[in-house]
Amino acid sequence: MSLRIGPAQQVQAAAQPLPCELRERASLPGRAARFDLACDLTGRGSLEDRLTIIDRDPLRASDVSWPELAGTHEATWIFDVNDDATTELVVIFRQPETVLIAELYDAQGDPARLEHQIDGAQVIFLNQLQPTVRMIASDGWWTRNGKINFNLDIAVDGLVEAAFDVHWALKNRVATDGFIDFIIRIRDENNDGRPDYDWRTVQHPPQLPPFTLPRTFLMVNEKDNEPPLAPVLPWPFLGGETYYLTASPLPSSDPPIQVNWESGTITTVGEFVRSRGNDGQWFVYSFEEVKQDEYSYPDFEAPFAWYDLADDNDHAPELSVRLGYFWAFSPVFLRGNYNRPINFVRYSWDQKNDGRWDYKLALLGHNEVTTTVTVDDLEMRLVDYDELPGWVLRHDWGVAIFVTSENGGVSGEGIYTWDAPVWLMEQYFTGRSDLPMPEIDLETYRGEDLRRIEPGFRGEYQLDLNGQVRLYVSAVDRRPHLLYGDRGMWNIDGRSTIHYANLDGDKYFDEWRLMVDGELVRQLNDGRDYLVLAENNIVTLAPVTTERALVELVPPRDHQGWLAFGKQVNAHLGSFEPDDFAAMLDSLGGSPSRIVGANLRDFRSQPEGFRFVLELQPGFRLEGAEQLTLEDLAPGSYVVTYDGSFSVVPLTPPEVELTVAIPPTDFSLFEPAVLQVWASNLGSEDARELKVVAEISRNGVAPIEIAEGSLALLAGEPVDTLMTWWPREAGTWEMRIQVLNTEGRMLAEQKVTLRVVESQWYNIPAIFEASTGLGHRGSVLLLLPVLALLIGLGVFLTSSATARRQDS
């Protein structure tokens, strides 16, 4: 792909009143002239500031008026805010041959820094100074017939906001000292008065560790529709502070070189091509430097792009795609200790076309970028702007998160809520941890976490998707959801939260639970053939035959897809409130059975249906269709099972059984001893919060705890795992494995005897005795740290989930 520039449509510089009036004119030697003007630089409404212009161009020193008298070829501008004989800014314009140069010197809060003398038409500084900003127009003009030149090269020296979010790291590390800190190249490829790209390089200070900051900032406008610059001075690039760096208010752009007039400080060199705030542009913020005439491999935000899905050309995007990317072994990601490429995506879209984001996908994947993008003489390994939305939707993703803003959308560069948390990406997704979320105190932790969500947002996730991301509209609640989603929640108002679950692991959510102030208020479960509702001490079972998805959806990638998505979602919206589960059931269910004076808990799916625990209260009664038989049952707890027909049996407490299998041969010292452990629950009550403890002992020594973990044992569903132990000494060992409940009461115990024998390969004295040369002794010495590490290991349980993520 090459940069696409549309037909030349010359943009006239927006005319704005200039805050100056000519007060005095004087001739200088060599037909030069001096003009003293009273100005309002700070917006106070009165002309209390002074601008002195010394024009050395003899062709321009004739009798002209403001603003035409303001020379920008061979001239010096001296700004004195408050007209107090203290200089805040000096701009020196030079024209060596056919090139124009502007050099800007700022006071930086020091009244004495810009002290100077005027010798004829020359300004001589009393201090040794370097310009803070130097701009070069190589084709020899700044403005021409009302058109502004955007073929510029800029050098910035000092602590200036000239690249996004680097000021914090450069503070106290850079100064205006003659060493360039930012190199900026602006280009207007078809010379139509609209800049097409803005390329910035940050010169990394040597005091900072490598890769602390992004090095490259590249902004590209694909539609050639950059809002026109609105000058406030005859040199159009200079103005006061507007506090923007990445975007300015539409419909025009403010001057990018921004000065705090009170302190005399150039605070910002804003983006000439905005990275944000338009509907046809993209940018790259990369730690790896993009270099001219060299094939580059940008990373981090590479690219971040905006799209006009509504096709209305209003400069307001309806799609924002942030492709975060690190190459395999990137030094920025996990210090270079990860051997696969990794993507982290935020894909937000505005479905209502009201300037606010309604939906978002957050994705994690291992998709390698293989395509090339060319911008002028920059050649980069990137996904093409036009291809990026389709590239995201076409590839497989390991983690998928879907977020909706349910209270009217949000502004900004996308929906930030439930971006993939750092732990999820760096630990779980890379296989470093089996925990998708860290064990932390959510009351004090302020970072992103999938166990909570901000009020007004609904979020859903699947942490092992390993497929393309798709959505569907549920026939139950009539809202769009993540296809194959696993869990989710909707924080309605900070008190009420709906929790979603996919209990049977198929394509659709099948559980809705309303929590108010942390207490369960009602619950709706989809058991395929039946909807089951529990609220207000009533359990309702209603037969259903409707497909659970009204329509499956592809997130929008272009105008037609955007129209289709909105049409399909709107066509199926329900009229009921999000927490009105009874209305959801009534909209789908047939003739219901109602058990008045009952509650349910522990609903879960089974291969042929579902089961739950039914709590019957004194005086309970059955109303409506007789879906199940409750005659002659006393109040109490029962297990209701559906597998084509209903059965109701009394609930029995958990009964845990442990079995440990060991190989028939002895174990060897320093080699892993692998045991297979089976656990089953022979009762009908699920046991979800159990603790497993393993201890080892020998020769009457007090047992040592070598492992502890959690265990969930569902009734009738045995589990098995492999337990690995690294023997530290030879001899006969006894291992005891216990299963405890939450009160610490032992539910099951199994003891096994393990015999560990010496291994010649690990017999260190024997290895020394067999060694006759220094080379062998050196090998042994290298082996010792490895053995020490192995000796320090305890017991661990294997995890197939980690292996799946690594292979996905």
Side-chain angles (χ1 to χ4, degrees), residues 14 40 95-96 245 317 377 397 400 558 560 719:
D40 180 12
Q95 186 176 15
L245 173 67
D377 54 2
W397 300 96
D558 54 25
Q560 292 303 321
V719 298

Side-chain angles (χ1 to χ4, degrees), residues 28-75:
L28 298 175
R31 296 183 60 189
R34 170 174 173 161
F35 305 95
D36 287 307
L37 301 106
C39 303
D40 180 12
L41 297 173
T42 58
R44 290 170 293 192
S46 57
L47 304 180
E48 300 178 13
D49 310 310
R50 176 185 290 268
L51 169 60
T52 298
I53 297 178
I54 299 174
D55 195 336
R56 299 180 297 277
D57 186 347
L59 300 179
R60 292 186 49 79
S62 57
D63 189 13
V64 292
S65 60
W66 174 261
E68 288 77 13
L69 59 79
T72 57
H73 287 202
E74 285 288 346

Side-chain angles (χ1 to χ4, degrees), residues 65-134:
S65 60
W66 174 261
E68 288 77 13
L69 59 79
T72 57
H73 287 202
E74 285 288 346
T76 300
W77 294 10
I78 304 171
F79 294 86
D80 178 358
V81 178
N82 298 320
D83 195 10
D84 58 2
T86 300
T87 301
E88 276 71 33
L89 180 72
V90 174
V91 184
I92 298 177
F93 298 98
R94 298 187 291 112
Q95 186 176 15
E97 299 181 352
T98 61
V99 175
L100 287 184
I101 299 175
E103 295 177 329
L104 286 75
Y105 301 81
D106 58 340
Q108 300 181 11
D110 181 359
R113 188 170 190 273
L114 298 184
E115 288 184 346
H116 60 274
Q117 296 177 346
I118 299 177
D119 184 3
Q122 301 298 319
V123 174
I124 302 171
F125 291 115
L126 302 185
N127 298 306
Q128 190 73 26
L129 297 178
Q130 298 290 338
T132 300
V133 176
R134 177 184 285 112

Side-chain angles (χ1 to χ4, degrees), residues 303-307 319-323 345-348 388-389 392 413:
F304 198 145
W306 278 265
Y307 299 86
L319 175 63
S320 164
V321 184
R322 176 186 187 242
L323 173 57
V345 174
R346 185 196 305 132
Y347 193 103
S348 306
L388 180 59
V392 170
E413 59 185 29

Side-chain angles (χ1 to χ4, degrees), residues 667-674 724-727 756 759 761-762 790:
F667 297 106
S668 297
L669 187 62
F670 300 133
E671 293 183 4
V674 180
T724 305
W725 170 57
W726 294 83
V756 179
S759 172
W761 194 85
Y762 288 107
L790 295 178

Side-chain angles (χ1 to χ4, degrees), residues 11 123 170 175 197 279 307 355 410 461 500 535 606 657 694 740 788:
V11 176
V123 174
L170 298 181
Y197 74 85
D279 60 3
Y307 299 86
V410 296
Y461 61 83
Y500 304 87
E535 66 173 334
Q606 292 187 310
E657 183 176 77
L740 311 174

